Amino acid sequence: MLVAAAVCPCPPLLVPQVAGGAAAEMDDARAACYDAVAVLAAARADRLLVVGPAEPPDRGAFPAGTRGSLRGFGVDVEVGLGKGEPGERELPPSLTVGAWLLERTGWRNAPVEGLGVGEPLEPERCAEVGRELAAGPERLALLVMGDGSACRSLKAPGHHDERAAAFDAAAARALGGANTAALAALDAGLARTLRAAGRSGWQVLAGAAEGAGLAGRLLYDAAPYGVGYFVASWS
């Protein structure tokens, strides 16, 4: 059963070494992520699963101990999913940022695994995956990494789209209210158009949290680079 969840953005810029001189611009987001992870730690789960967007061939399960690095972003930062033997595959960037957050906050609680989900995964399948994850008797916690739309300004990666602000506002309300129905109702096609990489992970969370009775709190909601970044805590 799902006992807690944290939702965090996954840009490598969250890591100060990657951001360099602009690291301070993400201070508030970073601090909110630390607070959300602290709520996960307090839940005393039996298992923590880090969920994030991934491109082929980096989709699917990653066992405890799997390593990831940010060398592709110009910095010598390497992290892993808790204790365990390194896997044959490296973590995708989203899960690497999640593993970095856990290491930075000194995670010593439940064993950690990862799940890379594809952006094209249909909402119903996302919900099914979430239900399957939460179906067992163990106390499960989720760290869900993912961004909102990338079209909030003219300088955004996806340029400006007038629909982006409303999409992100709906996502923020749903995440802040732990509203599983509203998350499940997010339009996958529009999310794809707006380059919202968090949609599939959020809908996995929605499936996992059905009937769990969790309360949500929105800790951060901003678009500093024209990309919607949200931090939320469910417990």
Side-chain angles (χ1 to χ4, degrees), residues 127-142:
E128 289 173 7
V129 170
R131 295 183 195 111
E132 291 165 4
L133 292 173
E138 62 186 357
R139 292 170 58 83
L140 173 70
L142 295 180

Side-chain angles (χ1 to χ4, degrees), residues 136-225:
E138 62 186 357
R139 292 170 58 83
L140 173 70
L142 295 180
L143 172 56
V144 182
M145 309 297 296
D147 304 336
S149 75
C151 302
R152 291 278 291 275
S153 72
L154 291 175
K155 293 184 178 180
H159 305 293
H160 182 256
D161 189 309
E162 61 183 13
R163 299 169 293 179
F167 177 90
D168 282 350
R173 285 194 301 271
L175 292 169
N179 189 330
T180 59
L183 281 181
L186 291 175
D187 188 292
L190 179 58
R192 189 175 302 117
T193 299
L194 299 176
R195 299 173 62 173
R199 190 275 310 171
S200 54
W202 301 337
Q203 291 182 328
V204 169
L205 169 60
E210 286 179 1
L214 301 182
R217 189 160 62 104
L218 190 66
L219 306 179
Y220 182 84
D221 174 8
Y225 302 108

Side-chain angles (χ1 to χ4, degrees), residues 80-175:
L81 291 175
K83 297 179 180 179
E85 292 296 323
E88 295 181 359
R89 299 187 297 161
E90 283 199 355
L91 296 173
S94 66
L95 300 189
T96 299
V97 175
W100 177 85
L101 279 174
L102 295 174
E103 285 200 1
R104 188 65 178 263
T105 52
W107 182 267
R108 297 290 185 273
N109 298 68
V112 184
E113 300 167 68
L115 177 66
V117 293
E119 184 272 338
L121 198 64
E122 293 298 324
E124 273 305 315
R125 181 55 188 148
C126 291
E128 289 173 7
V129 170
R131 295 183 195 111
E132 291 165 4
L133 292 173
E138 62 186 357
R139 292 170 58 83
L140 173 70
L142 295 180
L143 172 56
V144 182
M145 309 297 296
D147 304 336
S149 75
C151 302
R152 291 278 291 275
S153 72
L154 291 175
K155 293 184 178 180
H159 305 293
H160 182 256
D161 189 309
E162 61 183 13
R163 299 169 293 179
F167 177 90
D168 282 350
R173 285 194 301 271
L175 292 169

Side-chain angles (χ1 to χ4, degrees), residues 1 30 63 171 177:
M1 62 177 179
R30 203 176 296 114

